[in-house]
Amino acid sequence: MKARIAGAEIAYDVQGQGPPLLFLHAFPLGLFMWDAAAAELARDHTVVRFDARGFGGSPPGDGPLSMERIADDGVALLDHLGLGQAVVAGCSMGGYAAFALVRRNPGRLRGLVLIDTRAEPDTPEGRSNRALLAEKVLKEGSSAAAESFLPRLLGETTRRDAPDLVAALDARIRANPPRGIANALLGLGARADSRPTLHEIGVPTLVVGGAEDTFTPPADIEALARGIAGARHVILPRSGHLPSVEAPEALNRALRDFLGGPA
């Protein structure tokens, strides 16, 4: 399905009935990363997910993909579907966008799930490295992003025991247009410092991390949860940065425990 949002055709999926649940995907993936969660939670939620601009079925924009743009597209999609408040769940880049949504549209949040993400902005070195990779992707193609990011996105268990999953994710990343990946890299590098935002979160919050994640290791996840009043946190074994595909059953249990509803 497509929705016309702020001059772009945004690819999205909606399933189920019940309280809205909006998923925001990680870089450099797409709405597909939430397939297992959507299949489980659509039993009693309206599950909404979309491809950020430049990924999957959504074409790239003209410049850097800001976290505010992703947040605004998510809210506009809820409006398009006639939905009000939602629990918002974001992984990695999706978490950065969720922080932007907290700042820009706090009234639309009924709850918040932050998965393998962080509140800190990039360091100057980190921004520089993203800009260099963006240039490389534009010159060499999306394979440069797959080769750079995929090994670090996945935990040791996944890399060792799930070669078919690794290959499928590699293919998904390579299928994204280079311009979309480059735009997102620039937007990620320019993202705001969300540490002050933590004190603005006034809804029930769950913070999730993968035990094998090297981008946001468990200690960072625990620190993030401590910064949000009343937040709960859970660390999922045998998962790296992408528990929705590496440990989907464990993530679904954590989401169920947080959201309530059928076991």
Side-chain angles (χ1 to χ4, degrees):
M1 291 179 279
K2 294 280 187 88
R4 186 74 178 175
I5 294 175
E9 295 290 329
I10 301 298
Y12 74 94
D13 178 79
V14 59
Q15 300 178 44
Q17 293 183 333
L21 176 56
L22 175 66
F23 281 112
L24 306 174
H25 70 77
F27 172 90
L29 305 179
L31 66 82
F32 74 89
M33 69 173 283
W34 304 113
D35 283 351
E40 164 64 25
L41 296 169
R43 290 191 285 161
D44 56 349
H45 287 78
T46 300
V47 179
V48 180
R49 51 203 174 119
F50 67 99
D51 288 326
R53 298 175 188 229
F55 297 92
S58 298
D62 294 330
L65 176 65
S66 72
M67 303 305 101
E68 290 75 17
R69 178 72 270 158
I70 299 171
D72 290 352
D73 285 347
V75 170
L77 180 56
L78 292 176
D79 291 341
H80 173 77
L81 297 170
L83 301 173
Q85 284 189 320
V87 173
V88 176
C91 179
S92 192
M93 179 177 76
Y96 306 148
F99 287 133
L101 200 154
V102 169
R103 292 189 291 271
R104 296 166 78 82
N105 282 284
R108 300 302 291 270
L109 284 162
R110 188 170 58 87
L112 183 63
V113 182
L114 300 168
I115 303 171
D116 288 294
T117 194
R118 64 174 70 251
E120 296 85 357
D122 271 3
T123 63
E125 180 183 9
R127 286 193 295 274
S128 177
N129 288 340
R130 288 195 201 270
L132 290 172
L133 181 56
E135 292 180 8
K136 186 175 182 180
V137 167
L138 291 175
K139 291 178 181 177
E140 301 179 11
S142 299
S143 60
E147 292 163 4
S148 174
F149 268 87
L150 188 57
R152 295 184 289 160
L153 287 174
L154 301 174
E156 179 183 355
T157 300
T158 302
R159 296 195 306 271
R160 182 187 66 233
D161 297 343
D164 290 346
L165 173 60
V166 175
L169 291 173
D170 182 77
R172 290 278 197 171
I173 294 171
R174 291 172 189 266
N176 290 318
R179 173 56 64 185
I181 290 177
N183 286 353
L185 284 165
L186 297 176
L188 286 163
R191 72 182 187 277
D193 183 350
S194 291
R195 286 172 291 187
T197 305
L198 301 184
H199 306 293
E200 302 173 18
I201 297 171
V203 294
T205 300
L206 173 67
V207 184
V208 181
E212 300 176 6
D213 186 6
T214 58
F215 279 123
T216 50
D220 290 1
I221 293 299
E222 293 163 5
L224 176 60
R226 286 195 300 270
I228 302 170
R232 298 156 53 184
H233 81 274
V234 60
I235 303 299
L236 303 180
R238 297 179 295 281
S239 179
H241 201 60
L242 303 173
S244 67
V245 294
E246 295 184 79
E249 292 181 359
L251 177 61
N252 285 347
R253 284 193 297 270
L255 292 172
R256 273 286 175 212
D257 184 56
F258 177 66
L259 296 167

